[in-house]
Amino acid sequence: MKLMFKTKKIERRIYLDWAAAAPVLPVAAQAASHITEEFFGNPSSIHQEGRLAKERLEAARSLLADCLAAERSEVYFTSSATEANQIVLASALAKFLSSPRQSKRPRIIISEIEHASLWEATMALKRFGFEIMTLRPGADGIVGLERLGDLLNEETVLVGLMLVNNETGAIQPIADCAQLIKDFSHTSGRKIHFHCDAVQAFGRLYLSFAELGVDSLAVSAHKLGGLRGAGALILKKRVHLLPLFRGGGQESGLRSGTENLASIVAFSEAACLRLKNLESSLAKAHFLMQELVTKLMKISDVYLIPQARAEAKADLFSPYILTVATPPIPGEVLQRHLDEAGIAVSTGSACRTNKSQKNRVLEAMGLEAQLAGSAIRLSIGPETTNEELDIFLEVLTDLLPYLKKIS
Ligand code: PLP
């Protein structure tokens, strides 16, 4: 559809949708191309070509493990974070189905703000007899420890929580939850697997698998400048999961299927570069986000979501993600006009595109449907500039009165 409003002419497109996919870093593109041309062997083959490919695979594993403060043997490559999340859930199902008949239903606890890849897969387990309990966040988008404590019981087998919410940027208290779960496990004598989706944290915030205290972590390449087609499950030593795919036994039997070596090596190179510059990137992102928030608050009828974002301490929200609402303008309408003007933003998770208009995450935070429906997500990256954000603000200020009139 052709849009009618003409606003400031933008020379070069402005990309504010890094949480959906980050531009590929040159170091990652070069690594992928080099591997594709030079290391075509199958890492499982025992001839020289295979051995050379295997060496690159293991070097990438070591590099990624270092980036996450994990051990090399704790890194299992997958095709995506979606797959890493599924492995954990599929394992819970496989263990349940293979155990002797139980009278009680196993319980899984997740939050209501999880990404679709964890949410949908968990909900699908209901029909196999799992009891799914959900944690509602507060109005600030952060899940509370008390409710988690209330939901843990002797039947609990798995808790799945994200570290950084992909729509609001809210940082969840994962280390505290891990301690709570550990204490419960200790007193009840029941082992509970604690899985964390760290997709929006890895490469942007400090992240140490060793310190977080979780049993497993899902990460993805294309969110930090790697290529699509690579992700990883970081799994604590001595924690045993059953595989989602069976076959050639790659990835220590947990993930059969020939490894996507080019994307995996590119992933480790991109992660390494992001980690090297993490401190300066983070300081810059905090500065840019603070400026953006301050300037957005001066535009009438623009609401920060959650409102707490305006004065929140820096460690409660990722400085790379911000959601704002401009009621009564539907988020999708604003997104299309911004796109036409040369600016890419999203109306929430890219994985929700083409689905119903309902925003599960924002509504779980208690937002009215109209406010939630008018939300757009702005997500920045280490290469975003203040100038780009100022142009976005200028275009937004131009567009809002016009869109309000026609809404
Ligand atoms: N988890 C979160 C929090 C995400 O933001 C995303 C992607 O948007 C995913 C999981 C899925 O990642 P992938 O695209 O690697 O499957």
Side-chain angles (χ1 to χ4, degrees), residues 184-350:
F184 181 86
S185 284
H186 192 68
T187 44
S188 68
R190 310 300 284 230
K191 176 73 196 110
I192 300 173
H193 186 104
F194 185 17
H195 174 68
C196 176
D197 174 342
V199 167
Q200 297 293 347
F202 186 36
R204 298 178 200 78
L205 307 181
Y206 295 103
L207 180 59
S208 159
F209 182 62
E211 284 172 19
L212 208 52
V214 299
D215 294 298
S216 57
L217 205 66
V219 291
S220 179
H222 71 104
K223 307 292 185 182
L224 52 72
L227 273 66
R228 271 159 281 224
L233 179 71
I234 316 303
L235 179 67
K236 221 180 191 168
K237 263 195 311 197
R238 287 185 283 278
V239 173
H240 178 65
L241 292 185
L242 293 172
L244 171 62
F245 307 149
R246 286 176 193 275
Q250 289 90 344
E251 298 302 293
S252 307
L254 187 58
R255 200 274 180 186
S256 285
T258 305
E259 298 88 348
N260 181 351
L261 190 61
S263 284
I264 286 171
V265 173
F267 182 18
S268 66
E269 292 291 339
C272 202
L273 185 65
R274 287 301 182 215
L275 264 285
K276 208 165 103 196
N277 300 324
L278 192 102
E279 203 173 323
S280 58
S281 299
L282 195 51
K284 180 183 159 200
H286 274 298
F287 170 76
L288 290 184
M289 189 50 81
Q290 190 52 52
E291 288 278 299
L292 181 63
V293 163
T294 307
K295 290 172 185 169
L296 279 166
M297 279 168 43
K298 291 188 183 140
I299 306 176
S300 61
D301 298 331
V302 172
Y303 299 86
L304 301 179
I305 296 178
Q307 266 183 336
R309 187 78 193 245
E311 277 143 31
K313 285 204 296 193
D315 58 355
L316 293 183
F317 292 92
S318 161
Y320 290 100
I321 300 177
L322 177 71
T323 284
V324 293
T326 58
I329 304 161
E332 198 193 292
V333 171
L334 178 56
Q335 182 204 15
R336 276 194 289 129
H337 279 79
L338 286 168
D339 189 33
E340 178 86 346
I343 302 171
V345 303
S346 77
T347 49
S349 171

Side-chain angles (χ1 to χ4, degrees), residues 31-59:
S33 149
H34 176 63
I35 293 292
T36 305
E37 284 166 20
E38 306 288 335
F39 296 90
F40 51 84
N42 186 325
S44 299
S45 302
I46 55 170
H47 46 60
Q48 182 172 308
E49 286 76 3
R51 290 198 309 276
L52 288 173
K54 176 84 173 162
E55 265 172 33
R56 306 303 298 205
L57 178 67
E58 295 314 315

Side-chain angles (χ1 to χ4, degrees), residues 15-21 166 200 289 320-322 344-346 377-381 384:
Y15 188 69
L16 302 179
D17 198 17
W18 288 66
N166 51 303
Q200 297 293 347
M289 189 50 81
Y320 290 100
I321 300 177
L322 177 71
V345 303
S346 77
R377 177 184 71 183
L378 312 169
S379 53
I380 63 173
T384 303

Side-chain angles (χ1 to χ4, degrees), residues 19-20 79-83 85 115 117 162 164-166 197 199-200 219-223 230-231 349-351 377:
S79 67
S80 62
T82 296
E83 190 190 320
N85 285 336
H115 183 266
S117 59
M162 65 190 348
V164 172
N165 181 263
N166 51 303
D197 174 342
V199 167
Q200 297 293 347
V219 291
S220 179
H222 71 104
K223 307 292 185 182
S349 171
C351 303
R377 177 184 71 183

Side-chain angles (χ1 to χ4, degrees), residues 75-146:
V75 176
Y76 298 82
F77 288 112
T78 62
S79 67
S80 62
T82 296
E83 190 190 320
N85 285 336
Q86 308 293 310
I87 288 174
V88 175
L89 289 159
S91 172
L93 175 61
K95 284 182 182 175
F96 175 53
L97 294 178
S98 62
S99 59
R101 274 234 168 279
Q102 298 168 9
S103 54
K104 300 236 172 88
R105 299 167 68 196
R107 174 177 285 195
I108 296 181
I109 304 170
I110 61 169
S111 83
E112 293 181 17
I113 56 170
E114 293 309 310
H115 183 266
S117 59
L118 194 84
W119 175 265
E120 298 292 339
T122 304
M123 291 304 155
L125 294 186
K126 268 188 193 171
R127 71 193 155 94
F128 293 99
F130 279 81
E131 182 187 31
I132 310 299
M133 303 301 286
T134 60
L135 285 165
R136 180 151 282 212
D140 56 3
I142 299 173
V143 165
L145 279 178
E146 313 75 49

